């Protein structure tokens, strides 16, 4: 088959995968994304992101890394893909790699409060309390209505012995 024929074969599979997902059949949808990826490579970036999102919903973080990395090969300037990759790597306890992806995400999308929160959590795990506090402060500045960010910042202040700041 020519690349055009392969693309024509994969498109109905991708549409069926999206339809299955919308109906709540996440496993069936993932299966169709996997099949489509054997027919055409690379899958379109949007399809790769959707596939990864399904895997994340199924808590299959390690498996979600591959489609996210493929999406980034197509568009390395996607702050969203870097963020999602960082979150998956974080869930897999690969903190060093997660930190790199999340830092790239905030470089590309500097208003991503969630990315700053994750960065703060990783830096805290690495014992870098002042850097963790700075990242969490940035998250609270970007999304002041998010109570969790304020709580996390308070915990970081307490852990750093900065009790007065925690209040």
């Amino acid at each position: 088959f020519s690349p055009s024929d392969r693309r024509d074969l994969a498109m109905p599979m991708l549409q069926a995968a999206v339809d299955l997902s919308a109906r709540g059949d996440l496993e069936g949808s993932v299966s169709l994304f996997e099949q489509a990826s054997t027919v055409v490579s690379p899958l379109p970036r949007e399809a790769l992101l959707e596939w990864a999102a399904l895997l994340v919903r199924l808590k299959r973080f390690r498996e979600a890394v591959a489609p996210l990395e493929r999406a980034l090969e197509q568009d390395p300037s996607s702050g969203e893909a870097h963020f999602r990759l960082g979150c998956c790597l974080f869930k897999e306890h690969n903190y060093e790699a997660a930190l790199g992806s999340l830092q790239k995400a905030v470089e590309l999308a500097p208003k991503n409060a969630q990315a700053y929160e994750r960065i703060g959590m990783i830096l805290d795990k690495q014992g870098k309390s002042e850097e963790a506090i700075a990242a969490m402060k940035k998250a609270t500045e970007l999304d002041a209505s998010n109570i969790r960010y304020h709580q996390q910042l308070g915990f970081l202040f307490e852990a750093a012995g900065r009790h007065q700041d925690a209040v």
Side-chain angles (χ1 to χ4, degrees), residues 41-91:
S41 183
L43 288 176
R45 179 180 150 308
E46 296 76 21
L48 291 165
L49 292 174
E50 179 66 24
W51 182 11
L54 288 167
L55 291 166
V56 167
R57 286 177 61 193
L58 292 166
K59 304 207 181 314
R60 291 163 51 183
F61 305 108
R62 184 172 293 136
E63 291 174 61
V65 168
L68 289 168
E69 287 175 337
R70 284 188 232 142
L72 284 166
E73 287 170 8
Q74 291 179 32
D75 183 8
S77 66
S78 172
E80 175 189 6
H82 282 286
F83 172 69
R84 290 184 188 191
L85 178 60
C87 289
C88 287
L89 294 167
F90 178 88
K91 290 287 193 178

Side-chain angles (χ1 to χ4, degrees), residues 62-123:
R62 184 172 293 136
E63 291 174 61
V65 168
L68 289 168
E69 287 175 337
R70 284 188 232 142
L72 284 166
E73 287 170 8
Q74 291 179 32
D75 183 8
S77 66
S78 172
E80 175 189 6
H82 282 286
F83 172 69
R84 290 184 188 191
L85 178 60
C87 289
C88 287
L89 294 167
F90 178 88
K91 290 287 193 178
E92 287 297 309
H93 307 284
N94 186 345
Y95 299 124
E96 203 58 42
L99 184 60
S101 289
L102 293 165
Q103 287 172 330
K104 186 67 175 177
V106 297
E107 176 186 317
L108 295 166
K111 294 186 178 183
N112 187 334
Q114 290 178 307
Y116 281 104
E117 177 201 25
R118 292 289 167 98
I119 289 169
M121 294 167 70
I122 293 169
L123 292 169

